[in-house]
C-alpha cells in the first residue's frame, strides 16, 4: 500500500478505537499483530510486548475502568516506507470520576497489503498508573 493509504488506515484504526468499535479497529491488523508499550513490565504490567490476544484483554480491562473508552485525537502524522508515526493526545473519564488525559507517540508498522502488524506506544506511564491503578 502507499504511504498515504497507510496514514488513512492509521487514522481509521484510531477513529474506530475511540468509539469502541474494537472489531472495526482490529480488522486493520494482522493475525500476528503485536503492541509494545514503553516502560518496565515489572513496575507496570501493561508495559512491554503484547500479542494481539493479550492486547485485546488489556483493552477490555480498560473499558471496565473507563466504560466510555479512551478518545485518542491524532495531532500529527508522519509516514515513510512501511511506518506511520503519530503524535496524539487522549481524554477519558474513569468510573470513579478520575480524568485521564495523556500524550503519546505511536509508531505503526504496516505490511505491504496495508495491515497494521505492530504498534509501539510511548506515553506518560506514571499518569496512566496514577489514574487506572491507584
Amino acid at each position: 500500500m502507499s504511504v498515504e493509504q497507510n496514514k488513512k488506515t492509521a487514522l481509521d484504526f484510531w477513529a474506530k478505537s475511540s468509539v469502541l468499535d474494537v472489531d472495526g479497529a482490529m480488522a486493520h491488523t494482522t493475525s500476528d499483530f503485536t503492541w509494545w508499550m514503553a516502560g518496565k513490565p515489572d513496575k507496570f504490567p501493561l508495559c512491554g510486548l503484547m500479542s494481539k490476544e493479550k492486547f485485546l484483554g488489556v483493552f477490555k480491562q480498560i473499558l471496565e475502568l473507563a466504560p466510555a473508552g479512551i478518545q485518542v485525537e491524532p495531532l500529527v502524522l508522519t509516514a515513510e516506507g512501511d511506518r506511520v508515526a503519530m503524535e496524539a493526545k487522549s481524554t477519558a473519564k474513569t468510573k470513579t470520576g478520575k480524568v485521564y488525559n495523556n500524550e503519546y507517540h505511536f509508531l505503526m508498522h504496516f505490511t505491504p497489503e496495508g495491515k497494521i502488524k505492530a504498534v509501539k506506544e510511548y506515553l506518560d506511564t506514571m499518569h496512566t498508573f496514577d489514574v487506572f491503578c491507584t
Side-chain angles (χ1 to χ4, degrees):
M1 289 287 157
S2 71
V3 168
E4 288 306 312
Q5 185 58 47
N6 287 347
K7 287 168 68 173
K8 287 180 185 176
T9 299
L11 288 172
D12 194 57
F13 174 87
W14 289 106
K16 285 181 169 44
S17 295
S18 291
V19 296
L20 308 179
D21 181 1
V22 177
D23 292 337
M26 297 313 285
H28 290 301
T29 66
T30 62
S31 59
D32 61 346
F33 169 80
T34 60
W35 189 283
W36 176 88
M37 183 187 292
K40 305 290 183 204
D42 60 325
K43 306 272 187 223
F44 187 36
L46 295 180
C47 297
L49 186 64
M50 293 179 260
S51 66
K52 188 174 194 173
E53 183 179 276
K54 184 173 179 184
F55 172 76
L56 287 170
V58 168
F59 194 95
K60 289 177 185 177
Q61 287 177 329
I62 290 172
L63 288 180
E64 291 174 12
L65 300 170
I70 298 173
Q71 287 67 51
V72 176
E73 179 185 346
L75 301 173
V76 177
L77 271 80
T78 305
E80 182 178 309
D82 69 345
R83 298 174 314 279
V84 174
M86 182 177 89
E87 291 180 47
K89 65 180 182 177
S90 70
T91 57
K93 188 177 241 184
T94 68
K95 289 192 306 189
T96 61
K98 290 182 179 180
V99 174
Y100 178 71
N101 52 0
N102 215 330
E103 296 174 345
Y104 309 86
H105 179 273
F106 295 102
L107 181 61
M108 295 164 271
H109 291 266
F110 286 78
T111 65
E113 299 77 31
K115 295 280 191 179
I116 303 169
K117 63 181 176 182
V119 175
K120 286 187 165 186
E121 176 182 7
Y122 300 86
L123 71 161
D124 180 348
T125 54
M126 290 300 295
H127 174 63
T128 305
F129 182 84
D130 287 345
V131 172
F132 290 111
C133 300
T134 60

